[in-house]
Amino acid sequence: IGRSFIDFVHPRDRNTFASQIIGLAVPKIVNSTMACRIRRYRGLSTGFCVKDRVVTFMPFLLKFTFKNITEEENDIYLVIKAAPLLSAFKIPNEVAAKAVPFVIRHTPNGHLEYIDPESVPYLGYLPQDVTEKDILQLYHPEDLEYLQQVYEAIVKEGAVPRSKPYRMMAQNGNYLRLETEWSSFINPWSKRLEFVIGKHHIIEGPVNPDVFQSPTNDADKAKAQKLRANIIKIMNEVLTKPAEIAKQQMTKRCQDLANFMESLMEYQPKIDEELRLEIQDHDNSYYERDSVMLGGISPHHDYDSKSSIATPLS
C-alpha cells in the first residue's frame, strides 16, 4: 500500500503499460487489456536477507478501466483487474483437445506485427516481446522446406485453407505442433504482398509443458558465463596462503644462499690444500693464449707463485 504500481511491473513491460494507460484517455475507449509480468513478493519465510534472492516475475492478463470513485469530476482512479496467465499444458506432448485458435500477422520480411493475447498460454511469449521479431526463427528447421512450399502457395493463390502439421517454438525453447489457416493481403497498386495472416490451431503441446519457463540453453549460457567470470575473478584476486608459502620458501633460499656465499668468501685455503692443475702437453704455447686465472692460479704455471698465496679463490 502506498507504493507505485509501476515499480512492480517488469522493466521490459513498462513502455507497453504506459501506452495502454495513455490509450484510455481517448473517450471512446472504455477499457483495454495487456499481458504483463508482475514482480513476485520475496517473503521472509526462509530468512531475512531479501537482497540475495532472485527477483522473479509472473505473467498476468491486465484489464484497465478508469472509474470515478467519488462524485467529484477530477477524482479519477485507474482500476486494474489482474488474472494470472498459466500454461495451457499440464503434461508433456499433451494433445490439445479444446485449444483456442490465435492469430499472428507478419510482414514479407518475416517481422511479427501482431500476435493475439490468446496465444500467451500456448506459446509463452508476451506480445511486446515478439513484436518485430523474425517469425522464421520460430519455425522448426526440419519444417522449413514444407513451409517454403506453403509460402509459395500463399503468394500465388493468396491463401492456404489449412496446412499440414508443423512445429513452432515456444518461449521455453521446446516445440509444439500446430496447423494453420493462411491468408494474405496484396497491395492492389504495387501488386506486392503486404502481410501474411496465420490462424493457428494447436494440436499437440511441447515436451516441457511449462511454456513460461526460461529456455534451457539460455540458462546454461548464463551459468557458463557466470562461471567464467568467477574464474577470471579468482585468478585476479590477491593470493593468500600460496603466496605466503612461496614468500617463506624464497626467503629461506635467499638466506641459505647468503650464508653459503659468506662462508665461501671467508674461506682462506692453505698452501697444501691449494688446487694445482697439471696439463700434460708438449706444446704449452697452444694453451697459453687460453689460460684462465682462478684466484691467481694458472694451469700453466707452477703453484709457488706469490699471487696464488695472497689472492683468495674466486
Side-chain angles (χ1 to χ4, degrees), residues 101-114:
F102 55 87
V103 172
I104 296 178
R105 185 178 72 235
H106 66 83
T107 66
N109 294 328
H111 293 165
L112 282 164
E113 286 188 333
Y114 173 80

Side-chain angles (χ1 to χ4, degrees), residues 246-309:
K247 182 180 178 181
Q248 293 175 0
Q249 292 176 348
M250 182 60 69
T251 303
K252 186 176 184 302
R253 284 197 294 268
C254 291
Q255 187 64 39
D256 293 343
L257 182 60
N259 294 336
F260 172 75
M261 293 300 296
E262 183 178 356
S263 62
L264 187 64
M265 295 301 295
E266 292 177 352
Y267 173 70
Q268 294 292 335
K270 296 180 181 180
I271 295 178
D272 56 353
E273 295 177 346
E274 289 180 333
L275 175 65
R276 179 182 180 184
L277 178 64
E278 295 182 356
I279 300 179
Q280 303 296 332
D281 196 292
H282 299 287
D283 188 8
N284 291 339
S285 62
Y286 178 78
Y287 294 98
E288 189 68 27
R289 64 179 181 269
D290 296 328
S291 62
V292 180
M293 299 298 293
L294 298 175
I297 301 176
S298 172
H300 306 297
H301 293 81
D302 292 335
Y303 72 92
D304 59 352
S305 173
K306 294 181 181 180
S307 62
S308 64
I309 301 174

Side-chain angles (χ1 to χ4, degrees), residues 4 12 21 32 38 77 109 120 124 126 128 201 221 257 272:
S4 173
R12 290 165 57 184
I21 296 176
S32 64
I38 306 297
Y77 290 85
N109 294 328
V120 177
L126 301 192
Q128 57 268 28
H201 303 266
K221 290 179 182 179
L257 182 60
D272 56 353

Side-chain angles (χ1 to χ4, degrees), residues 15-160:
N15 289 338
T16 307
F17 180 83
S19 63
Q20 290 289 330
I21 296 176
I22 294 174
L24 287 173
V26 179
K28 292 184 179 180
I29 300 178
V30 180
N31 55 57
S32 64
T33 60
M34 70 164 289
C36 178
R37 285 158 291 203
I38 306 297
R39 179 164 60 84
R40 298 189 66 176
Y41 172 66
R42 293 182 290 179
L44 301 177
S45 58
T46 58
F48 295 95
C49 190
V50 178
K51 291 185 178 180
D52 293 340
R53 299 178 189 174
V54 178
V55 179
T56 57
F57 294 83
M58 285 185 62
F60 284 85
L61 185 64
L62 305 184
K63 183 178 180 180
F64 303 92
T65 55
F66 275 129
K67 288 187 177 181
N68 294 333
I69 304 299
T70 63
E71 295 181 356
E72 297 182 13
E73 189 173 339
N74 294 329
D75 197 4
I76 300 176
Y77 290 85
L78 173 64
V79 179
I80 303 175
K81 182 180 180 180
L85 288 170
L86 305 176
S87 177
F89 309 105
K90 305 298 181 184
I91 60 176
N93 301 113
E94 180 178 349
V95 177
K98 298 180 180 180
V100 178
F102 55 87
V103 172
I104 296 178
R105 185 178 72 235
H106 66 83
T107 66
N109 294 328
H111 293 165
L112 282 164
E113 286 188 333
Y114 173 80
I115 181 170
D116 268 344
E118 287 80 3
S119 68
V120 177
Y122 299 99
L123 296 178
Y125 301 107
L126 301 192
Q128 57 268 28
D129 289 340
V130 294
T131 304
E132 298 298 326
K133 301 295 183 181
D134 188 358
I135 184 98
L136 301 180
Q137 297 295 327
L138 303 183
Y139 298 148
H140 196 286
E142 295 179 1
D143 296 332
L144 289 177
E145 289 188 7
Y146 166 68
L147 289 171
Q148 180 178 337
Q149 299 174 6
V150 171
Y151 278 101
E152 288 175 353
I154 293 172
V155 173
K156 294 179 180 179
E157 306 295 334
V160 172

